[in-house]
Amino acid sequence: MKRDDFLWMIGGVQGSGVDTSANVFAKAAASGGLHVFGKREYYSNIKGEHSYFQVRVSKDLIRSHVDTVDMLATFEEETIFRHALEVRSEGAIIYDPDQDPKRLEQIPTIEANVRATLSSELSKSGLSSEVRGILELARRRGVHVYPVPYNELLKQVGAKFGETSLSTLQRMLNVMAVAASYALLSYDENLVKDAVRRQFKSKPKVAEMNVEAVGAAYDYVEQKFDGSFRYKLSPSKTDEVRLFVRGNSTVAMAKELAGCRLQTYYPITPASDESEYLEAHAEIELDGSAAHENPQAGEVAAMGAKGNIAVVQSEDEIAAVTMAIGGGLAGVRSSTSTSGPGFSLMAEGLGYAGMNEVPVVVTLYSRGGPSTGLPTRHEQGDLRFALYAGHGDFPRLVLASGDLEEVFYDTVRAFNYSERYQTPVIHIVDKALANSDATLPMLDLNRVKIDRGKLVKGPITDGVNGEYKRFVHAPDGISPRPPVGTKGAVYWHTGDEHDELGHITEDPTNRDQMMEKRMGKLEVADREIPMEERLNFFGPEQADITVVSWGSTKGAILDAMGWLKEDGISVNFLQIRLINPFPTERVKSLLSGAKNVVGIEMNYTGQLIGVLREQTCIPVDQLVVKYNGRPMSCEEIYDSLKSIHEGKAPKRIVLRHGA
Amino acid sequence: MALKLSDLKTTAHNDWCPGCGDFGILNAVQMALAEMNVDPSSTVVVSGVGCSSKAPHFIKTYGVHTLHGRSLPFATGIKLANPNLEVIVEGGDGDGMGIGAGHFVGSGRRNIDMLYIIHDNGVYGLTKGQASPTLGLGMKTKSLPSPNMNQGINPLLLAIACGYTWIARGYSYDVRHLKDLIVKGAKHKGFAFLDVLQPCPTYNDIQTKEYWAGEGLVDSTGKQQPRTYKLEETGYDPVVHSDDEAEMEKKVQQAVLKSFEFGDHTPIGVFYQNEFIPTYEERIAHKSPSYKTNPPAAQQIAHEDGTPLANIRKLLEELRVT
Ligand SMILES: Cc1ncc(C[n+]2csc(CCOP(=O)(O)OP(=O)(O)O)c2C)c(N)n1
Ligand code: SF4
Ligand SMILES: [Mg+2]
């Protein structure tokens, strides 16, 4: 397979600016018109443990990460030990020669088994267990190793600014590593400097020092290693307006646009970033600009009114979901965001919302389970739970997005569905999306429509004796919905079975009617929701292999399909997005002629594949799963589909790559 | 037009046991709402699950009967979404201080402008009389197989510790006094907590109506002495009169001491009142000034044609790279 892209990686101790450097690297590439896909891997730890970032860049559209590292930028020893051997032959490692004598045994944060493997590998090759040893091993494998004396360069930079404290200067190590990388690639220095300025926008002095550091690194690399690294990276002109976004904030922006005005949360990785973004942007600009000629909007703007979202950090996730339901009862688009452990606590609340026909959106960031599991790692293990959480039968919609663009539009749809069908909607966003940063074509806000369903904006005029039938039977099972607090009449809510007024009753006939009313709404949703919102089908109608998957594996599958096509293997791909109600008939017809159906999922059991079998009676021929907490790479999918095509693969393939 | 007591009654079937203290509380709530002349459709009574939590069905305002232990967060969501509503929360002692204890703490810290009434009967009525969190250690009410193995909590002391800014106790058979407390609590700016001694004739055969009336407790003249007395009749001043820290501390300490009186000499009335602590609504408005004039429920979010009203172009512009 051939690759036109470049994978850059940086590692370091958590809290030491690894994130910043990756951000600067990615933005410098993105503003040069390159496509960027970034992936962050970190331990459940705040300071001291290792974390790393991979940034993949390309002139062409890319949607996933790859396993082969083209360039590894480091500024401390642990990253060198952990990742030096992941760099491909002809690739590059940038490092600080001061680290040469550091020994493997002196790094407490490296797990014993990793240490043992490395040491035996080094001693087999007759090398010392020092940084210089592992780098020699990399060299023998064809990797170019570039020593950059950061501290010396930093001192020169410091001198210009009258800064002599080495510890202050060392805060720029990360930016130096980025600059040295770009210098080796002969990338436009100004783009790097601009990215640095943007990163430190709020601290101009820091920005200028860092810009100077970029210059120093460029000068050094150009003098010392001029042209020695063969791979070059150059900007690519584009007319496309692009954004560089992260999953969490994409959800947050979409919530504000969708009209979500109450967000509750209890802190949990990887969900809280979204709520924090909302809290930081709690005042919402309202449209009154020329973009809309609607006179009503003009009025709003003229009054200078702003919107706002109330963000509440609750005492636990039970409170988070029930507060959001309270908001829904009062007619406000409300949501909560969480991940597995928090979602487990929300089960009873979801049932209440289902029973009382309350719109509420739960954004479920899927991470490694069960229990606390792999708190900062990736998995798609919560699908079955999202479909069934809660006792008894009640309707819910479950939606799973495959990439950041879908995340944006699906977030808005989640609110539309929840108000239209007056029931909870669970929107699954994988950790791999929540924490990945990528370039994205400018979002088309004109595509976004708000549908509030049968919301009644008071007052209630058809109450009888001051009482209103909130749960009145309707042909489609969906009753008009004046929120709690609407003037004119009153009604009740209860988690008990209830009559049209909302009063408790155990009458069997009423029970049948109400159960059928509620559950029937799913059939209405099944009829109404357009297929393009429910699934995607990529590739030729007939293919050697038909992949069925969901969520964040989308990008890697699409990228791998491109490579397989070059090898003459045709693959098509059914991505299911609305998992409940399941698009049964369409899925059946799409899969009816499939030669070889392969399920691909980031969980142990193949949860979607189970749902598929349950809904359509279609079994998959082969299953590719991964559950080590690291997202599937495009190569892994490529390799497994290739071996399936060659008839060499077992029925169940477990992918195991990842650091 | 003045609201009559009968306007607040519903025809929903009431299945409380005859003589249940819940009736007194229900009456007092309805009397208070009538006296306050509320608009029933701008009033919401929120409850949890238990005998007492059925109350909303009998009151003709909006009623939200929720989940066991979760009345407070539901009510919080409703009130924050629409701060113009009068929100009253009702529920049992098990509901509020057992399964819902975490929310009890969280709500005190937030100080949302609502009133929370606990029907304190010492038992889990609806599940047939198990010990509730307020039942004392070693007490054996009717349906307990053996004496209570847990220590009882002091709801007032807990409320003080959590930061409630209005704290009172009432008695369900002193309906007028209870009605006055409900009116005061509802009018209080901030989170008001009202613990109500509520006899459960079916399961609590210790803290009965007769017990509170003074059965077995006689003074030197041989006259039966009621076990409750009214704080206001003793010259007790619960009010924090200035935002001076020493003043607040003094009033908190006084309430703490008072909260320990229980049993033969049980105070009812207002223990503590402090309107100098900002409400949660004020804290939100401090960060988002528009919350005050344009709270979530009042906000329009879309044009007639469904186009969103929020303008996120500035946010997107910040993320633009080409
Ligand atoms: C999650 C959950 N656990 C248990 C129950 C069963 N349950 C119903 S009411 C109740 C206790 C009610 O006691 P209390 O709150 O004091 O109200 P009372 O009936 O005494 O008024 C319990 C445990 C439930 N409904 N939900
Ligand atoms: S069990 Fe007790 S609390 Fe429940 S209704 Fe009967 S008397 Fe009242
Ligand atoms: Mg009780």
Side-chain angles (χ1 to χ4, degrees):
Chain A
M1 80 194 140
K2 103 178 187 304
R3 280 177 43 200
D4 291 325
D5 57 287
F6 187 80
L7 188 86
W8 179 82
M9 177 169 179
I10 191 160
V13 172
Q14 201 129 290
S16 70
V18 188
D19 288 32
T20 312
S21 54
N23 221 335
V24 170
F25 188 94
K27 281 198 182 140
S31 49
L34 298 171
H35 290 272
V36 175
F37 185 90
K39 173 180 92 108
R40 178 171 177 235
E41 285 292 340
Y42 53 102
Y43 280 81
S44 180
N45 157 271
I46 301 303
K47 284 205 167 131
E49 293 279 352
H50 177 71
S51 71
Y52 70 88
F53 243 110
Q54 289 184 341
V55 185
R56 186 179 171 206
V57 299
S58 170
K59 284 194 171 55
D60 305 318
L61 179 63
I62 39 171
R63 319 167 183 89
S64 62
H65 81 281
V66 289
D67 292 326
T68 345
V69 179
D70 297 301
M71 180 181 280
L72 172 66
T74 70
F75 47 86
E76 42 71 73
E77 66 279 21
E78 182 170 352
T79 304
I80 305 176
F81 279 114
R82 281 185 185 269
H83 301 293
L85 303 183
E86 287 171 39
V87 182
R88 70 165 169 87
S89 137
E90 295 298 305
I93 298 176
I94 296 168
Y95 86 112
D96 175 0
D98 288 354
Q99 310 290 344
D100 267 329
K102 296 268 176 70
R103 305 186 64 83
L104 179 58
E105 300 77 42
Q106 288 163 342
I107 308 170
T109 40
I110 290 194
E111 298 86 345
N113 62 329
V114 176
R115 186 178 304 155
T117 316
L118 280 172
S119 317
S120 86
E121 194 131 355
L122 288 167
S123 73
K124 254 194 296 181
S125 317
L127 292 165
S128 73
S129 61
E130 292 169 333
V131 164
R132 55 165 77 89
I134 186 111
L135 288 175
E136 177 52 29
L137 189 56
R139 252 188 224 108
R140 289 182 193 169
R141 296 179 177 190
V143 176
H144 304 279
V145 177
Y146 297 99
V148 179
Y150 297 120
N151 286 327
E152 249 169 67
L153 298 174
L154 284 173
K155 277 183 208 151
Q156 291 166 22
V157 173
K160 293 196 186 162
F161 288 81
E163 180 59 71
T164 52
S165 150
L166 193 59
S167 65
T168 305
L169 290 169
Q170 279 179 338
R171 280 190 219 136
M172 299 192 294
L173 275 174
N174 54 352
V175 166
M176 278 247 157
V178 172
S181 308
Y182 271 130
L184 273 174
L185 289 163
S186 312
Y187 191 69
D188 185 347
E189 186 175 341
N190 288 323
L191 287 171
V192 183
K193 289 181 171 169
D194 287 347
V196 166
R197 287 197 186 94
R198 210 167 149 174
Q199 181 71 29
F200 299 105
K201 195 168 56 199
S202 56
K203 301 175 213 151
K205 177 153 181 252
V206 175
E208 279 324 300
M209 264 221 288
N210 275 281
V211 164
E212 191 70 28
V214 171
Y218 260 83
D219 290 348
Y220 182 85
V221 169
E222 276 163 17
Q223 262 178 37
K224 275 279 202 212
F225 312 120
D226 188 29
S228 71
F229 188 52
R230 255 191 287 148
Y231 197 101
K232 299 288 170 237
L233 199 64
S234 43
S236 166
K237 224 185 136 23
T238 175
D239 295 331
E240 193 177 54
V241 175
R242 281 189 208 138
L243 307 171
F244 182 64
V245 298
R246 170 169 292 193
N248 293 117
S249 28
T250 306
V251 175
M253 287 186 298
K255 283 191 178 178
E256 296 206 340
L257 187 67
C260 173
R261 296 297 175 258
L262 177 67
Q263 163 96 353
T264 59
Y265 78 107
Y266 183 79
I268 192 164
T269 306
S272 351
D273 289 351
E274 180 209 314
S275 299
E276 281 156 28
Y277 181 99
L278 287 170
E279 199 169 335
H281 299 85
E283 286 266 295
I284 299 167
E285 299 272 337
L286 295 184
D287 212 337
S289 65
H292 288 281
E293 279 129 48
N294 194 320
Q296 226 180 328
E299 259 166 55
V300 173
M303 283 163 19
K306 283 207 174 185
N308 57 78
I309 176 166
V311 181
V312 184
Q313 182 188 329
S314 61
E315 52 273 22
D316 58 34
E317 285 89 348
I318 298 176
V321 76
T322 51
M323 279 180 195
I325 297 168
L329 286 167
V332 169
R333 286 195 158 188
S334 305
S335 69
T336 181
S337 293
T338 189
S339 62
F343 189 67
S344 286
L345 293 186
M346 294 184 181
E348 196 189 9
L350 285 176
Y352 186 88
M355 181 62 145
N356 283 280
E357 312 199 30
V358 194
V360 66
V361 171
V362 179
T363 311
L364 171 56
Y365 290 92
S366 169
R367 70 184 212 190
S371 190
T372 312
L374 294 169
T376 59
R377 309 290 180 175
H378 176 53
E379 194 167 271
Q380 299 178 315
D382 299 340
L383 176 61
R384 286 283 197 179
F385 188 50
L387 288 169
Y388 297 110
H391 53 284
D393 285 320
F394 63 89
R396 83 191 74 200
L397 287 87
V398 176
L399 183 65
S401 303
D403 57 32
L404 296 181
E405 200 170 342
E406 285 179 11
V407 161
F408 184 81
Y409 297 111
D410 286 350
T411 300
V412 181
R413 283 186 194 124
F415 288 94
N416 288 347
Y417 298 156
S418 77
E419 283 203 302
R420 191 167 178 89
Y421 305 110
Q422 302 183 9
T423 211
V425 174
I426 298 152
H427 180 200
I428 304 180
V429 180
D430 298 347
K431 183 261 161 186
L433 293 175
N435 281 175
S436 60
D437 307 79
T439 41
L440 205 68
M442 182 53 138
L443 294 158
D444 181 5
L445 301 185
N446 296 325
R447 265 176 66 191
V448 173
K449 284 276 183 267
I450 288 177
D451 172 8
R452 306 209 65 181
K454 292 193 190 172
L455 176 75
V456 176
K457 288 183 188 156
I460 299 172
T461 49
D462 48 350
V464 174
N465 191 22
E467 298 179 338
Y468 177 80
K469 290 186 172 171
R470 161 70 184 92
F471 303 102
V472 70
H473 291 290
D476 59 359
I478 304 166
S479 322
R481 182 175 64 98
V484 163
T486 306
K487 288 198 193 302
V490 302
Y491 59 79
W492 291 267
H493 279 289
T494 172
D496 288 57
E497 189 55 90
H498 43 262
D499 60 18
E500 291 177 308
L501 282 172
H503 281 316
I504 301 172
T505 170
E506 297 183 11
D507 177 80
T509 311
N510 176 79
R511 165 69 171 185
D512 284 346
Q513 287 169 345
M514 284 298 176
M515 203 69 181
E516 287 152 21
K517 169 189 198 297
R518 289 188 296 267
M519 295 308 289
K521 293 189 291 183
L522 274 183
E523 287 160 34
V524 178
D526 188 33
R527 282 199 299 276
E528 287 183 351
I529 300 176
M531 209 41 77
E532 64 267 23
E533 296 179 15
R534 304 174 68 179
L535 54 79
N536 293 327
F537 190 79
F538 302 95
E541 216 164 285
Q542 284 300 322
D544 301 330
I545 293 175
T546 298
V547 170
V548 181
S549 190
W550 65 287
S552 64
T553 50
K554 175 186 181 185
I557 294 169
L558 287 176
D559 284 352
M561 278 166 70
W563 294 352
L564 288 159
K565 194 171 168 191
E566 287 174 22
D567 294 354
I569 302 172
S570 69
V571 178
N572 53 24
F573 165 32
L574 170 61
Q575 177 208 356
I576 301 182
R577 290 166 63 188
L578 187 64
I579 300 174
N580 202 48
F582 195 82
T584 308
E585 293 312 315
R586 179 62 65 92
V587 169
K588 271 190 190 162
S589 76
L590 285 170
L591 295 182
S592 62
K595 284 193 233 163
N596 191 1
V597 182
V598 178
I600 299 186
E601 288 184 63
M602 286 283 311
N603 56 56
Y604 187 90
T605 47
Q607 299 193 5
L608 177 75
I609 286 329
V611 176
L612 174 77
R613 201 183 309 118
E614 187 178 305
Q615 298 286 339
T616 63
C617 296
I618 300 175
V620 300
D621 301 301
Q622 245 141 341
L623 183 59
V624 180
V625 293
K626 185 171 183 178
Y627 38 83
N628 69 0
R630 309 322 191 255
M632 287 185 184
S633 69
C634 171
E635 289 115 318
E636 281 182 303
I637 291 177
Y638 168 85
D639 290 342
S640 44
L641 291 179
K642 196 152 179 161
S643 70
I644 287 173
H645 183 68
E646 289 161 359
K648 292 187 203 147
K651 261 193 98 63
R652 175 183 166 86
I653 302 177
V654 181
L655 305 180
R656 303 196 188 275
H657 191 89
Chain B
M1 208 177 61
L3 192 65
K4 297 188 302 290
L5 197 57
S6 57
D7 296 334
L8 287 157
K9 300 202 163 155
T10 70
T11 51
H13 170 64
N14 188 323
D15 60 356
W16 284 333
C17 308
C20 174
D22 286 340
F23 287 105
I25 304 177
L26 175 63
N27 283 339
V29 170
Q30 286 165 329
M31 284 161 64
L33 292 174
E35 182 175 313
M36 287 157 66
N37 201 23
V38 298
D39 169 0
S41 59
S42 298
T43 306
V44 192
V45 180
V46 183
S47 67
V49 166
C51 297
S52 43
S53 287
K54 291 179 182 170
H57 292 284
F58 313 132
I59 303 170
K60 203 152 138 192
T61 62
Y62 277 102
V64 184
H65 177 196
T66 70
L67 294 171
H68 191 37
R70 316 300 166 202
S71 58
L72 288 173
F74 273 102
T76 298
I78 294 169
K79 180 74 180 182
L80 292 182
N82 189 352
N84 297 322
L85 299 177
E86 179 70 51
V87 179
I88 294 177
V89 189
E90 271 189 81
D93 44 358
D95 189 81
M97 283 173 291
I99 191 167
H103 310 309
F104 188 83
V105 176
S107 299
R109 296 174 55 209
R110 281 187 286 269
N111 196 36
I112 293 177
D113 192 7
M114 305 194 283
L115 166 65
Y116 182 30
I117 305 171
I118 280 194
H119 297 223
D120 185 352
N121 59 6
V123 291
Y124 281 2
L126 195 59
T127 44
K128 300 193 190 303
Q130 299 86 348
S132 89
T134 61
L135 193 72
L137 178 67
M139 285 170 79
K140 188 184 168 312
T141 46
K142 205 149 89 192
S143 66
L144 295 191
S146 60
N148 185 17
M149 298 189 46
N150 294 301
Q151 207 165 300
I153 58 163
N154 178 336
L156 303 171
L157 188 58
L158 184 61
I160 297 166
C162 297
Y164 285 84
T165 51
W166 186 92
I167 297 164
R169 181 191 281 132
Y171 175 47
S172 65
Y173 289 105
D174 195 340
V175 177
R176 289 210 162 270
H177 182 250
L178 183 57
K179 179 265 297 170
D180 289 343
L181 286 175
I182 293 170
V183 172
K184 277 188 205 150
K187 290 189 173 159
H188 170 73
K189 180 185 82 85
F191 211 137
F193 170 62
L194 175 57
D195 181 52
V196 184
L197 303 170
Q198 176 241 318
C200 162
T202 306
Y203 294 115
N204 190 333
D205 51 351
I206 300 172
Q207 289 142 334
T208 58
K209 189 176 174 184
E210 293 70 27
Y211 169 83
W212 291 117
E215 193 176 57
L217 184 72
V218 288
D219 64 9
S220 49
T221 65
K223 214 177 111 212
Q224 184 167 306
Q225 286 294 307
R227 286 193 166 81
T228 58
Y229 74 94
K230 297 194 170 104
L231 277 175
E232 57 275 22
E233 290 172 1
T234 63
Y236 180 92
D237 176 15
V239 180
V240 173
H241 293 285
S242 75
D243 65 353
D244 175 53
E245 238 170 77
E247 159 76 357
M248 285 198 211
E249 223 175 276
K250 197 179 81 189
K251 290 291 156 69
V252 167
Q253 284 170 358
Q254 167 189 270
V256 167
L257 285 178
K258 253 312 158 212
S259 77
F260 281 95
E261 287 181 23
F262 195 75
D264 287 352
H265 201 57
T266 304
I268 57 174
V270 182
F271 284 61
Y272 179 70
Q273 176 182 325
N274 182 355
E275 292 199 330
F276 294 100
I277 308 290
T279 63
Y280 198 75
E281 297 90 311
E282 288 169 338
R283 296 175 210 171
I284 296 180
H286 185 72
K287 285 203 292 189
S288 308
S290 67
Y291 179 83
K292 213 174 171 141
T293 47
N294 199 19
Q299 288 180 49
Q300 208 187 317
I301 59 167
H303 299 287
E304 286 302 324
D305 66 352
T307 314
L309 208 57
N311 186 341
I312 61 162
R313 281 164 218 276
K314 250 195 213 160
L315 303 180
L316 293 176
E317 208 48 46
E318 279 175 30
L319 302 170
R320 209 175 137 171
V321 281
T322 59

